[in-house]
Amino acid sequence: MPRRSTVQPVRLMGDERLRLFSGSANPELAQLVARYLGLAPGPLVRKSFADGELYVQIQESIRGCDVYLVQPTCSPVNDSLMELLILIDACRRASARQITAVLPYYGYARADRKTAGRESITAKLVANLITAAGVDRVLAMDLHSAQIQAYFDIPLDHVYGSPVLLQYIKEKQLGDMVIVSPDVGGVSRARAFAKKLDDAPLAIVDKRRQAPNEVEIMNVIGDVKGKTAILVDDMIDTAGTISEAAKVLLRQGAKEVYACATHAVFSSRAIDRLSDGTFTEVLVTNTIPVPPDRRFAQLRVLSVADLIGEAIWRIHEDSSVSSMFR
C-alpha cells in the first residue's frame, strides 16, 4: 500500500466507521489530526462536578464504529488519565466496534521498574487501568522506555516524533554537528537520531543524580569542541538535566547547543533554565500543549499531527505502521 503524503490530508470520504474524539488535554492537536484525516472531531460533553468528579457523554451514535480517542495524559495528569478512562468506558458502553487510545504523551512512565523496595511501577499500573477500562488498542508516541510496550496485553503501536525534529534540523543546515545524549540511558535514542543525520558523531554526558530533579554533571564522553551540539531526549520536565548538560558542552568547547525533545512537560523552573541564553534553540513537538505564558524566544514547537494521523489511517486500513519510519 503506498505511503500517504504528510502534506495533503487523507480523505476518508464515505467511511463512516472511523470516528475520532478528543479529550480536554490537547484539543488543538486532535483538531489537526482530524484535519489530516479529513474528519471533524466527534461531539461530546465534558463537565466537572463541584467535588472534581468528571462527566463525559458521547453526543452521537458510535455503534459498530472504530473509535480513536486522542488524549495525552499530561498536566493535570490525574484528571487527564481519569478522563481517558471515562471516555473509554463511555465508548465501550455505546457499542463501539473497536476503541483505540491515542496517547501522544504517556504519563506515569518514568516509574517503569523498581529501583528500591516498596515502590510502585506506575507505568504498568496505568497500562492495567487503560486495558481494564475496555480499550482494544493503544497508539503511543515516544514512550519513556521501550519496555512499557510489554506492559500492555493488547496491541500497541509505538510511533516516534523524531522525523519532524530531524526534518527541521536538516533544513537548518547546521554543518559540523555532534549528537549528544544527556545521560547514559538515552544513548540508544541519540544513536538512532545520529544515524538519520548521515551518521553524525555521538557524544554522551555522564551524570550522577544526587536527589530527584537534582543533577551533578561529571564529564563529556566524545569530542564536541568547535561543533554544534544537539542534545536529544524524549522529554524536558524541569530541564535540570538538559540545561546542566548544555553548560558542560559549552565549557568543553561546543560552538552552540540545540535541545531536541518530543514532549514539552516544562514543569517547575524549566522555562527559566531553557531561556537563560544557554541554548540557541529548544525544539519540541505539540504532543503536550505549550500555553503562551510558557513560551520563550528560543522555543520552536513542531507539529506531529500528520504523523499521528498517518498512523491512525494505517491502523484503520490494516496497513504497516512501522514502515513509516524506515
Side-chain angles (χ1 to χ4, degrees):
M1 173 123 7
R3 181 174 176 178
R4 295 279 179 160
S5 167
T6 57
V7 177
Q8 295 297 325
V10 178
R11 297 296 178 185
L12 295 168
M13 304 303 292
D15 190 346
E16 296 183 356
R17 286 193 307 114
L18 190 151
R19 303 291 178 83
L20 184 144
F21 293 88
S22 172
S24 62
N26 197 346
E28 294 83 5
L29 174 61
Q31 185 68 50
L32 292 172
V33 172
R35 185 182 304 169
Y36 178 85
L37 291 167
L39 302 171
L44 59 82
V45 170
R46 179 193 185 276
K47 297 188 293 187
S48 295
F49 292 103
D51 63 353
E53 289 184 8
L54 301 176
Y55 170 87
V56 173
Q57 183 191 29
I58 306 296
Q59 295 283 286
E60 66 180 8
S61 174
I62 54 173
R63 185 179 297 273
C65 294
D66 295 340
V67 176
Y68 294 80
L69 304 174
V70 181
Q71 175 79 338
T73 52
C74 54
S75 181
V77 179
N78 296 334
D79 283 357
S80 296
L81 175 58
M82 194 65 206
E83 184 181 350
L84 173 64
L85 299 178
I86 295 171
L87 278 167
I88 293 168
D89 186 67
C91 291
R92 181 174 63 85
R93 295 179 187 278
S95 300
R97 189 181 77 90
Q98 178 171 280
I99 305 167
T100 301
V102 181
L103 305 175
Y105 171 71
Y106 186 84
Y108 282 110
R110 282 169 283 192
D112 56 5
R113 65 193 184 281
K114 289 183 68 172
T115 58
R118 299 171 297 282
E119 286 184 335
S120 171
I121 304 177
T122 55
K124 171 60 174 170
L125 172 62
V126 169
N128 289 343
L129 289 170
I130 292 173
T131 303
V135 78
D136 298 291
R137 189 181 205 98
V138 170
L139 172 60
M141 175 164 279
D142 274 329
L143 293 168
H144 186 60
S145 60
Q147 70 197 42
I148 294 174
Q149 297 175 74
Y151 297 167
F152 288 88
D153 294 324
I154 56 176
L156 183 146
D157 292 290
H158 191 201
V159 296
Y160 306 92
S162 56
V164 297
L165 298 169
L166 287 163
Q167 183 63 33
Y168 183 88
I169 290 170
K170 289 176 180 178
E171 290 173 357
K172 294 283 288 186
Q173 297 182 338
L174 296 174
D176 196 6
M177 293 183 294
V178 57
I179 309 304
V180 184
S181 173
D183 54 38
V184 175
V187 171
S188 60
R189 183 183 301 108
R191 184 182 294 117
F193 205 86
K195 186 176 181 180
K196 297 290 186 180
L197 291 171
D198 299 324
D199 284 320
L202 184 68
I204 305 166
V205 177
D206 180 35
K207 72 173 184 181
R208 292 185 183 178
R209 189 181 298 275
Q210 303 297 329
N213 295 328
E214 293 183 13
V215 175
E216 179 183 352
I217 299 297
M218 302 301 292
N219 56 14
V220 177
I221 303 170
D223 180 22
V224 300
K225 188 173 183 180
K227 297 181 180 180
T228 296
I230 300 176
L231 279 160
V232 178
D233 212 343
D234 66 315
M235 71 170 73
I236 300 176
D237 186 0
T238 63
T241 297
I242 205 163
S243 64
E244 289 301 317
K247 291 172 184 176
V248 169
L249 292 171
L250 291 173
R251 288 200 294 268
Q252 293 289 327
K255 182 172 60 176
E256 57 182 349
V257 180
Y258 286 73
C260 286
T262 302
H263 308 301
V265 180
F266 288 176
S267 58
S268 186
R269 296 175 50 208
I271 304 304
D272 293 336
R273 289 168 171 160
L274 295 170
S275 61
D276 65 359
T278 303
F279 296 96
T280 302
E281 284 187 342
V282 177
L283 311 178
V284 297
T285 75
N286 60 344
T287 57
I288 297 174
V290 183
D293 63 348
R294 305 293 286 172
R295 299 192 178 226
F296 49 95
Q298 298 92 335
L299 182 66
R300 303 290 180 271
V301 181
L302 310 176
S303 178
V304 291
D306 286 5
L307 280 172
I308 294 174
E310 177 73 12
I312 288 174
W313 178 82
R314 288 174 180 239
I315 292 169
H316 184 65
E317 293 293 313
D318 296 323
S319 184
S320 171
V321 173
S322 61
S323 62
M324 292 169 57
F325 303 96
R326 292 174 187 163

